[in-house]
Amino acid sequence: MAKVEIFPSDIDLALVTFQPERRSCNYPALKKGSSDNLKKGSSIYISGFPIRDGRLVSQFVRGDVSGLDKLARGYGVAYQALTVGGMSGAPVADVKGEVVAVHGMSDVEVVKNFVSLQGSLSESQRSTFQQAVERVETAVQRWTFSWDIPIKINDIPLVSAKGVDYTKLRNLLAEGKWTEADFETYRVMEKLAGRESEEWLRAEDVENFSCQDLGTIDKLWVEYSNGKFGYCVQKQIY
């Protein structure tokens, strides 16, 4: 059985979770790391299976991080590596063998896909975009510079002791829709207390909230607001 999780529309990523049909699997899972540990010059490794002559061909290439930025659609790590079409979605591992990003596109694809978004890019993003344009137009190692999506996008586990799904809340916060996220937070709190039909909470409901769930909600708000919102932030203010 597989579960597909779609990220916000402005992030070019989806997460598919599945269990192998057999108890034993020939492909052990890689451990998840964090892109926060990457810096310019860091070595990374990409494994993929592009199609050649009608069949999948295994490729394992080494690269070096050349830049860290924030482009549109979630891209944020640039590197020099000989990647080709068909390797999109491949894991990007660090020297410890931990997955720190998901391979996305080359400079050529950056230019092709982001040209219509120039008006909404920040000054730093436009500079990075223009550099990609220049490398493509001058044909300097056209397929060398690639971009990926940092793995830290999904660092916060959406755990719940009450079986509450926090995907919608996470997506609203990731998109910066604070008002909608505030309403969604109250909705999930009603569900935690079993008060969805009443649509309001009592003092005893608040006192009996699951600590695990409160922790999940707090971490999501703190993470996506850059420390501006969250229960722990409110506590400090009080």
Side-chain angles (χ1 to χ4, degrees):
M1 179 179 294
K3 174 185 176 183
V4 180
E5 183 179 342
I6 305 298
F7 281 76
S9 58
D10 60 343
I11 297 178
D12 187 23
L13 186 68
L15 176 66
V16 180
T17 305
F18 64 93
Q19 293 290 338
E21 293 183 357
R22 301 175 181 176
R23 292 185 177 180
S24 60
C25 180
N26 294 328
Y27 303 97
L30 294 174
K31 291 183 178 180
K32 186 176 74 170
S34 174
S35 57
D36 286 337
N37 297 325
L38 293 177
K39 59 184 179 180
K40 289 184 179 180
S42 294
S43 296
I44 49 92
Y45 302 87
I46 308 168
S47 177
F49 294 85
I51 297 178
R52 292 295 179 267
D53 296 328
R55 64 188 183 86
L56 295 176
V57 179
S58 175
Q59 296 289 324
F60 184 79
V61 298
R62 179 187 178 279
D64 298 298
V65 174
S66 56
L68 300 168
D69 206 331
K70 290 184 178 180
L71 279 184
R73 304 185 72 191
Y75 290 91
V77 181
Y79 44 86
Q80 281 187 304
L82 187 58
T83 58
V84 295
M87 294 181 70
S88 297
V92 178
D94 60 12
V95 293
K96 295 186 295 184
E98 297 180 347
V99 179
V100 293
V102 177
H103 174 63
M105 58 181 68
S106 66
D107 270 343
V108 173
E109 293 167 301
V110 168
V111 173
K112 183 186 300 182
N113 293 328
F114 292 173
V115 67
S116 62
L117 301 174
Q118 292 185 72
S120 62
L121 298 179
S122 67
E123 182 177 347
S124 176
Q125 292 170 341
R126 284 196 297 272
S127 175
T128 303
F129 174 80
Q130 187 58 41
Q131 291 174 14
V133 172
E134 293 173 359
R135 286 195 294 267
V136 171
E137 291 180 346
T138 56
V140 177
Q141 294 182 325
R142 178 165 293 194
W143 290 96
T144 299
F145 288 88
S146 300
W147 289 85
D148 65 27
I149 299 178
I151 203 69
K152 65 180 178 181
I153 287 177
N154 194 33
D155 270 350
I156 301 174
L158 303 182
V159 295
S160 171
K162 301 292 185 178
V164 175
D165 186 358
Y166 292 104
T167 303
K168 182 178 180 180
L169 176 60
R170 195 263 327 267
N171 291 349
L172 289 171
L173 289 170
E175 293 175 0
K177 297 180 178 179
W178 310 117
T179 301
E180 293 93 330
D182 196 32
F183 281 112
E184 175 64 12
T185 299
Y186 193 78
R187 188 193 69 80
V188 297
M189 292 178 74
E190 289 178 336
K191 188 170 184 178
L192 284 172
R195 303 277 295 178
E196 293 175 279
S197 59
E198 290 82 359
E199 297 185 346
W200 60 278
L201 299 173
R202 303 164 301 183
E204 55 263 38
D205 297 323
V206 178
E207 292 174 355
N208 293 318
F209 274 142
S210 159
C211 292
Q212 185 179 57
D213 288 78
L214 287 177
T216 298
I217 296 172
D218 183 48
K219 290 175 184 176
L220 287 171
W221 274 96
V222 172
E223 173 68 21
Y224 288 104
S225 69
N226 292 320
K228 295 180 180 178
F229 306 120
Y231 298 137
C232 63
V233 179
Q234 293 175 356
K235 182 180 178 181
Q236 290 177 351
I237 294 174
Y238 288 140

XYZ file of all heavy atoms in Angstrom, residues 123-198:
625
model
N 15.404 39.777 -5.234
C 16.623 40.255 -5.890
C 17.681 39.156 -5.926
O 18.351 38.959 -6.940
C 17.162 41.479 -5.148
C 18.405 42.080 -5.792
C 18.879 43.337 -5.081
O 18.108 43.873 -4.257
O 20.011 43.777 -5.349
N 17.829 38.428 -4.819
C 18.802 37.334 -4.762
C 18.425 36.226 -5.732
O 19.292 35.670 -6.428
C 18.884 36.774 -3.339
O 19.738 35.657 -3.291
N 17.144 35.906 -5.810
C 16.673 34.857 -6.715
C 16.864 35.258 -8.172
O 17.239 34.436 -9.005
C 15.211 34.541 -6.423
C 14.984 33.872 -5.090
C 13.520 33.797 -4.723
O 12.693 34.522 -5.269
N 13.189 32.930 -3.775
N 16.608 36.536 -8.483
C 16.792 37.005 -9.864
C 18.257 36.930 -10.266
O 18.592 36.616 -11.414
C 16.273 38.435 -9.999
C 14.757 38.551 -10.040
C 14.321 39.916 -10.572
N 14.761 40.996 -9.703
C 14.066 41.445 -8.670
N 12.883 40.893 -8.389
N 14.505 42.432 -7.931
N 19.145 37.230 -9.299
C 20.579 37.154 -9.578
C 20.989 35.721 -9.891
O 21.734 35.474 -10.855
C 21.370 37.670 -8.371
O 22.766 37.495 -8.561
N 20.490 34.780 -9.085
C 20.796 33.367 -9.325
C 20.223 32.911 -10.661
O 20.879 32.185 -11.410
C 20.203 32.504 -8.192
O 20.724 32.954 -6.940
C 20.565 31.039 -8.383
N 19.008 33.363 -10.966
C 18.362 33.013 -12.224
C 19.167 33.559 -13.408
O 19.394 32.860 -14.404
C 16.938 33.570 -12.256
C 16.223 33.393 -13.560
C 15.642 32.175 -13.884
C 16.133 34.434 -14.469
C 14.983 32.002 -15.084
C 15.483 34.266 -15.670
C 14.902 33.052 -15.978
N 19.627 34.813 -13.303
C 20.386 35.424 -14.382
C 21.703 34.707 -14.607
O 22.163 34.548 -15.749
C 20.635 36.904 -14.072
C 21.273 37.681 -15.219
C 20.445 37.619 -16.486
O 19.221 37.704 -16.432
N 21.103 37.449 -17.628
N 22.331 34.256 -13.537
C 23.579 33.498 -13.677
C 23.342 32.211 -14.448
O 24.170 31.804 -15.266
C 24.159 33.199 -12.289
C 24.686 34.418 -11.565
C 25.119 34.103 -10.150
O 25.275 32.943 -9.774
N 25.312 35.128 -9.337
N 22.193 31.568 -14.178
C 21.845 30.346 -14.909
C 21.643 30.656 -16.380
O 22.074 29.898 -17.258
C 20.580 29.721 -14.320
N 20.976 31.778 -16.667
C 20.752 32.188 -18.058
C 22.075 32.389 -18.775
O 22.273 31.924 -19.902
C 19.918 33.485 -18.112
C 19.849 34.019 -19.538
C 18.516 33.240 -17.586
N 23.009 33.081 -18.112
C 24.306 33.359 -18.723
C 25.088 32.081 -18.999
O 25.740 31.945 -20.036
C 25.111 34.293 -17.818
C 24.517 35.695 -17.710
C 25.227 36.548 -16.678
O 26.172 36.024 -16.029
O 24.850 37.721 -16.506
N 25.034 31.121 -18.073
C 25.764 29.868 -18.287
C 25.174 29.091 -19.456
O 25.893 28.460 -20.231
C 25.740 29.020 -17.012
C 26.654 29.522 -15.912
C 26.864 28.460 -14.843
N 25.646 28.164 -14.109
C 25.296 28.753 -12.971
N 26.062 29.695 -12.460
N 24.177 28.413 -12.349
N 23.850 29.151 -19.584
C 23.202 28.432 -20.679
C 23.504 29.107 -22.013
O 23.837 28.445 -23.004
C 21.675 28.364 -20.451
C 20.973 27.815 -21.691
C 21.366 27.474 -19.254
N 23.394 30.447 -22.042
C 23.592 31.165 -23.292
C 25.019 31.092 -23.797
O 25.267 31.120 -25.005
C 23.173 32.626 -23.107
C 21.665 32.812 -22.928
C 21.273 34.256 -22.755
O 22.188 35.082 -22.513
O 20.067 34.562 -22.861
N 25.994 31.004 -22.862
C 27.390 30.904 -23.279
C 27.824 29.460 -23.487
O 28.960 29.192 -23.856
C 28.315 31.557 -22.231
O 28.089 30.942 -20.954
C 28.025 33.044 -22.124
N 26.892 28.537 -23.226
C 27.143 27.106 -23.446
C 28.335 26.597 -22.648
O 29.076 25.726 -23.084
C 27.352 26.807 -24.927
N 28.541 27.158 -21.447
C 29.624 26.706 -20.581
C 29.114 25.552 -19.735
O 28.327 25.735 -18.815
C 30.120 27.849 -19.672
C 31.197 27.339 -18.727
C 30.639 28.993 -20.520
N 29.569 24.350 -20.044
C 29.180 23.160 -19.305
C 27.669 23.143 -19.071
O 27.166 23.166 -17.961
C 29.911 23.096 -17.960
C 31.412 22.912 -18.132
C 32.125 22.790 -16.814
O 31.759 23.418 -15.838
N 33.148 21.974 -16.768
N 26.943 23.101 -20.167
C 25.505 23.317 -20.150
C 24.743 22.435 -19.166
O 23.763 22.862 -18.549
C 24.953 23.126 -21.572
C 23.471 23.272 -21.685
C 23.012 23.442 -23.107
N 23.467 24.692 -23.662
C 22.977 25.216 -24.795
N 22.043 24.575 -25.453
N 23.420 26.346 -25.254
N 25.186 21.224 -18.997
C 24.427 20.315 -18.119
C 25.147 20.080 -16.792
O 24.943 19.075 -16.147
C 24.203 18.982 -18.828
C 23.237 19.093 -19.956
C 23.511 19.264 -21.265
C 21.804 19.067 -19.863
N 22.368 19.359 -22.012
C 21.299 19.224 -21.168
C 20.910 18.941 -18.803
C 19.938 19.250 -21.450
C 19.555 18.963 -19.073
C 19.079 19.120 -20.370
N 26.008 21.041 -16.416
C 26.815 20.819 -15.217
C 26.156 21.309 -13.940
O 26.140 20.616 -12.933
C 28.195 21.495 -15.370
O 28.861 20.907 -16.480
C 29.036 21.303 -14.135
N 25.592 22.517 -13.957
C 25.012 23.067 -12.744
C 23.569 22.599 -12.591
O 22.743 22.786 -13.474
C 25.064 24.597 -12.754
C 26.452 25.140 -12.554
C 27.284 25.350 -13.632
C 26.928 25.410 -11.281
C 28.572 25.843 -13.448
C 28.206 25.900 -11.080
C 29.035 26.112 -12.179
N 23.285 21.986 -11.462
C 21.951 21.449 -11.211
C 21.430 21.993 -9.892
O 22.188 22.476 -9.049
C 21.982 19.921 -11.177
O 22.453 19.405 -12.403
N 20.112 21.880 -9.716
C 19.468 22.364 -8.496
C 18.645 21.255 -7.873
O 18.112 20.396 -8.568
C 18.561 23.554 -8.800
C 19.305 24.793 -9.136
C 19.785 25.156 -10.375
C 19.692 25.830 -8.244
N 20.434 26.352 -10.295
C 20.394 26.797 -9.006
C 19.501 26.039 -6.875
C 20.904 27.959 -8.435
C 20.011 27.197 -6.309
C 20.703 28.142 -7.084
N 18.547 21.296 -6.547
C 17.700 20.317 -5.874
C 16.872 20.993 -4.789
O 17.022 22.178 -4.518
C 18.527 19.166 -5.292
C 19.476 19.617 -4.184
O 19.178 20.625 -3.516
O 20.501 18.965 -3.976
N 15.969 20.216 -4.220
C 15.101 20.695 -3.153
C 15.637 20.179 -1.820
O 15.745 18.970 -1.622
C 13.660 20.205 -3.367
C 13.129 20.750 -4.707
C 12.759 20.635 -2.211
C 11.736 20.280 -5.041
N 15.994 21.075 -0.887
C 16.531 20.642 0.408
C 15.570 19.719 1.139
O 14.363 19.933 1.123
C 16.719 21.965 1.160
C 16.803 23.007 0.096
C 15.897 22.532 -0.993
N 16.116 18.715 1.785
C 15.288 17.727 2.470
C 14.642 18.293 3.716
O 13.664 17.739 4.231
C 16.139 16.489 2.834
C 15.248 15.260 3.023
C 16.979 16.754 4.069
C 14.617 14.750 1.775
N 15.125 19.433 4.231
C 14.584 19.972 5.475
C 13.152 20.469 5.325
O 12.505 20.815 6.302
C 15.450 21.102 6.007
C 15.506 22.341 5.120
C 16.387 23.377 5.753
C 16.504 24.621 4.873
N 17.380 25.623 5.477
N 12.616 20.518 4.078
C 11.221 20.907 3.866
C 10.287 20.041 4.692
O 9.257 20.488 5.177
C 10.850 20.793 2.377
C 11.516 21.931 1.608
C 9.350 20.830 2.158
C 11.289 21.880 0.137
N 10.650 18.765 4.871
C 9.748 17.852 5.595
C 10.396 17.320 6.870
O 10.228 16.184 7.233
C 9.350 16.680 4.685
C 8.170 15.903 5.232
O 7.294 16.456 5.854
N 8.175 14.616 4.992
N 11.181 18.185 7.530
C 11.907 17.743 8.717
C 10.989 17.453 9.901
O 11.297 16.632 10.746
C 12.929 18.815 9.128
C 14.266 18.590 8.442
O 14.454 17.525 7.825
O 15.107 19.469 8.528
N 9.873 18.150 10.040
C 9.025 18.034 11.221
C 8.056 16.861 11.070
O 7.195 16.875 10.192
C 8.228 19.334 11.449
C 9.187 20.509 11.618
C 7.317 19.200 12.667
C 8.503 21.844 11.715
N 8.178 15.831 11.896
C 7.256 14.690 11.818
C 5.846 15.117 12.201
O 5.645 15.781 13.220
C 7.836 13.689 12.838
C 9.221 14.166 13.124
C 9.194 15.645 12.944
N 4.864 14.745 11.395
C 3.474 15.118 11.667
C 2.841 14.059 12.572
O 1.875 13.387 12.194
C 2.701 15.271 10.354
C 3.289 16.285 9.360
C 2.407 16.386 8.123
C 3.470 17.652 10.013
N 3.384 13.917 13.768
C 2.935 12.877 14.692
C 1.710 13.339 15.467
O 1.540 14.527 15.759
C 4.054 12.479 15.670
C 5.204 11.826 14.922
C 4.562 13.690 16.439
N 0.845 12.384 15.812
C -0.352 12.681 16.587
C -0.746 11.474 17.420
O -0.810 10.355 16.913
C -1.517 13.065 15.663
O -2.729 13.160 16.391
N -1.002 11.704 18.695
C -1.454 10.628 19.575
C -2.933 10.333 19.368
O -3.444 9.318 19.831
C -1.202 11.017 21.032
N -3.619 11.215 18.659
C -5.060 11.082 18.453
C -5.427 10.804 16.988
O -6.596 10.829 16.627
C -5.769 12.361 18.906
C -5.542 12.727 20.371
C -6.210 11.732 21.295
C -6.075 12.163 22.751
N -6.760 11.233 23.671
N -4.426 10.537 16.158
C -4.694 10.227 14.757
C -5.107 11.427 13.919
O -5.757 11.272 12.883
N -4.721 12.626 14.338
C -5.063 13.840 13.602
C -4.068 14.052 12.468
O -2.856 13.887 12.649
C -5.064 15.070 14.533
C -5.294 16.356 13.740
C -6.131 14.916 15.606
N -4.562 14.422 11.296
C -3.720 14.674 10.122
C -3.356 16.159 10.080
O -4.238 17.014 9.977
C -4.465 14.274 8.854
C -3.583 14.373 7.607
O -2.411 14.781 7.731
O -4.075 14.055 6.510
N -2.069 16.471 10.158
C -1.617 17.856 10.175
C -1.065 18.317 8.819
O -0.414 19.363 8.736
C -0.541 18.052 11.251
C -1.090 17.914 12.656
C -0.854 16.771 13.411
C -1.864 18.929 13.206
C -1.368 16.647 14.695
C -2.380 18.810 14.490
C -2.133 17.665 15.221
O -2.652 17.550 16.481
N -1.321 17.557 7.768
C -0.803 17.904 6.441
C -1.327 19.250 5.961
O -0.568 20.091 5.457
C -1.173 16.823 5.414
O -0.668 15.561 5.844
C -0.581 17.158 4.053
N -2.645 19.478 6.102
C -3.232 20.742 5.637
C -2.646 21.922 6.397
O -2.316 22.965 5.797
C -4.746 20.716 5.790
C -5.428 21.975 5.272
C -6.947 21.883 5.394
C -7.617 23.153 4.879
N -9.097 23.079 4.989
N -2.487 21.790 7.711
C -1.909 22.867 8.509
C -0.486 23.151 8.057
O -0.096 24.319 7.893
C -1.931 22.495 9.989
C -1.256 23.490 10.943
C -1.915 24.855 10.856
C -1.290 22.968 12.375
N 0.297 22.104 7.861
C 1.678 22.265 7.404
C 1.732 22.988 6.059
O 2.530 23.901 5.852
C 2.332 20.883 7.293
C 3.852 20.874 7.172
C 4.403 20.764 5.756
N 3.628 20.003 4.833
C 3.812 18.711 4.602
N 4.696 18.019 5.260
N 3.070 18.110 3.674
N 0.853 22.607 5.131
C 0.845 23.218 3.804
C 0.446 24.691 3.860
O 1.034 25.530 3.154
C -0.102 22.455 2.881
C 0.414 21.067 2.547
O 1.567 20.747 2.828
N -0.424 20.246 1.965
N -0.549 25.021 4.669
C -0.973 26.416 4.796
C 0.144 27.271 5.376
O 0.391 28.396 4.923
C -2.219 26.507 5.681
C -3.524 25.978 5.087
C -4.616 25.940 6.154
C -3.974 26.825 3.906
N 0.841 26.748 6.374
C 1.945 27.491 6.975
C 3.095 27.647 5.993
O 3.724 28.711 5.924
C 2.428 26.765 8.236
C 1.466 26.804 9.438
C 1.942 25.848 10.526
C 1.357 28.219 9.985
N 3.377 26.598 5.215
C 4.454 26.662 4.225
C 4.164 27.717 3.166
O 5.078 28.324 2.613
C 4.638 25.292 3.568
N 2.876 27.948 2.873
C 2.481 28.943 1.879
C 2.321 30.333 2.489
O 2.025 31.304 1.790
C 1.164 28.513 1.230
C 1.284 27.248 0.392
C -0.060 26.770 -0.141
O -1.080 27.430 0.154
O -0.095 25.755 -0.845
N 2.518 30.442 3.815
C 2.404 31.735 4.471
C 0.972 32.233 4.600
O 0.732 33.438 4.776
N 0.011 31.335 4.572
C -1.398 31.710 4.711
C -1.765 31.655 6.191
O -2.386 30.704 6.676
C -2.267 30.770 3.881
C -1.987 30.856 2.380
C -2.872 29.905 1.579
C -2.603 30.040 0.086
N -3.435 29.100 -0.722
N -1.380 32.699 6.915
C -1.463 32.693 8.368
C -2.905 32.644 8.888
O -3.191 31.948 9.858
C -0.735 33.915 8.938
C 0.635 34.088 8.386
C 1.112 35.129 7.648
C 1.738 33.165 8.498
N 2.427 34.925 7.296
C 2.832 33.726 7.801
C 1.895 31.918 9.115
C 4.066 33.094 7.714
C 3.123 31.284 9.027
C 4.188 31.864 8.336
N -3.796 33.404 8.269
C -5.191 33.426 8.733
C -5.838 32.051 8.566
O -6.481 31.527 9.480
C -6.009 34.479 7.968
O -5.428 35.765 8.168
C -7.451 34.511 8.460
N -5.665 31.467 7.362
C -6.221 30.138 7.117
C -5.602 29.101 8.044
O -6.284 28.193 8.540
C -5.999 29.730 5.659
C -6.783 30.548 4.642
C -5.959 31.718 4.125
O -5.096 32.232 4.878
O -6.198 32.115 2.981
N -4.292 29.239 8.307
C -3.608 28.308 9.203
C -4.125 28.446 10.637
O -4.214 27.460 11.372
C -2.103 28.552 9.167
N -4.491 29.673 11.033
C -5.032 29.898 12.360
C -6.372 29.186 12.529
O -6.621 28.516 13.544
C -5.204 31.405 12.592
C -5.390 31.746 14.063
O -4.817 31.029 14.910
O -6.112 32.699 14.369
N -7.244 29.290 11.510
C -8.530 28.595 11.545
C -8.344 27.079 11.536
O -9.046 26.341 12.227
C -9.400 29.017 10.351
C -10.076 30.343 10.536
C -9.719 31.426 9.766
C -11.068 30.506 11.495
C -10.337 32.659 9.931
C -11.700 31.730 11.675
C -11.331 32.819 10.887
N -7.352 26.604 10.744
C -7.091 25.170 10.671
C -6.565 24.655 12.016
O -6.889 23.544 12.436
C -6.085 24.877 9.560
C -5.634 23.416 9.456
C -6.759 22.456 9.099
O -7.847 22.912 8.699
O -6.555 21.232 9.219
N -5.769 25.474 12.701
C -5.261 25.095 14.021
C -6.412 24.903 15.002
O -6.443 23.926 15.763
C -4.298 26.170 14.568
O -3.183 26.292 13.677
C -3.784 25.792 15.950
N -7.367 25.817 14.970
C -8.518 25.681 15.864
C -9.345 24.449 15.497
O -9.861 23.747 16.381
C -9.400 26.934 15.805
C -10.426 27.000 16.916
C -10.061 27.381 18.204
C -11.747 26.650 16.685
C -10.989 27.424 19.236
C -12.685 26.678 17.713
C -12.300 27.075 18.983
O -13.223 27.100 19.998
N -9.443 24.170 14.190
C -10.210 22.986 13.747
C -9.586 21.700 14.272
O -10.292 20.817 14.770
C -10.279 22.944 12.220
C -11.212 21.865 11.683
C -11.013 21.648 10.205
N -9.729 21.025 9.925
C -9.492 19.719 10.050
N -10.452 18.889 10.479
N -8.314 19.226 9.767
N -8.258 21.580 14.174
C -7.607 20.354 14.648
C -7.662 20.261 16.173
O -7.716 19.163 16.735
C -6.145 20.250 14.151
C -6.095 20.160 12.630
C -5.306 21.419 14.649
N -7.682 21.407 16.843
C -7.798 21.386 18.302
C -9.186 20.906 18.725
O -9.338 20.184 19.716
C -7.504 22.774 18.875
C -6.046 23.195 18.721
S -5.691 24.857 19.345
C -5.735 24.539 21.112
N -10.219 21.295 17.965
C -11.564 20.785 18.224
C -11.604 19.270 18.032
O -12.231 18.547 18.809
C -12.570 21.443 17.277
C -12.850 22.906 17.581
C -13.804 23.525 16.584
O -13.884 23.000 15.441
O -14.453 24.524 16.907
N -10.894 18.806 16.992
C -10.864 17.368 16.733
C -10.125 16.635 17.844
O -10.530 15.546 18.269
C -10.198 17.093 15.386
C -10.285 15.644 14.940
C -9.821 15.467 13.509
C -10.015 14.018 13.063
N -9.612 13.828 11.637
N -9.038 17.210 18.330
C -8.287 16.602 19.435
C -9.160 16.441 20.671
O -9.053 15.455 21.407
C -7.068 17.470 19.777
C -5.865 17.403 18.837
C -4.845 18.458 19.226
C -5.251 16.010 18.856
N -10.045 17.421 20.899
C -10.889 17.402 22.091
C -12.212 16.676 21.863
O -12.999 16.519 22.801
C -11.175 18.834 22.537
N -12.446 16.215 20.613
C -13.713 15.562 20.313
C -14.880 16.528 20.360
O -16.001 16.155 20.710
N -14.631 17.788 20.004
C -15.652 18.826 20.090
C -15.954 19.433 18.721
O -16.349 20.606 18.616
C -15.175 19.929 21.041
C -14.833 19.458 22.442
C -16.053 19.338 23.312
N -16.673 20.645 23.541
C -17.789 20.813 24.236
N -18.415 19.758 24.749
N -18.299 22.026 24.422
N -15.805 18.639 17.666
C -16.041 19.157 16.309
C -17.483 19.591 16.107
O -17.761 20.601 15.448
C -15.662 18.101 15.273
C -14.172 17.801 15.238
C -13.832 16.674 14.284
O -13.985 15.502 14.678
O -13.429 16.966 13.144
N -18.438 18.843 16.639
C -19.849 19.188 16.458
C -20.234 20.428 17.260
O -21.069 21.232 16.830
C -20.743 18.005 16.851
O -20.516 17.634 18.208
N -19.607 20.613 18.429
C -19.923 21.784 19.256
C -19.267 23.050 18.724
O -19.773 24.154 18.899
C -19.471 21.550 20.698
C -20.289 20.513 21.454
C -19.851 19.082 21.142
O -18.917 18.925 20.328
O -20.425 18.147 21.704
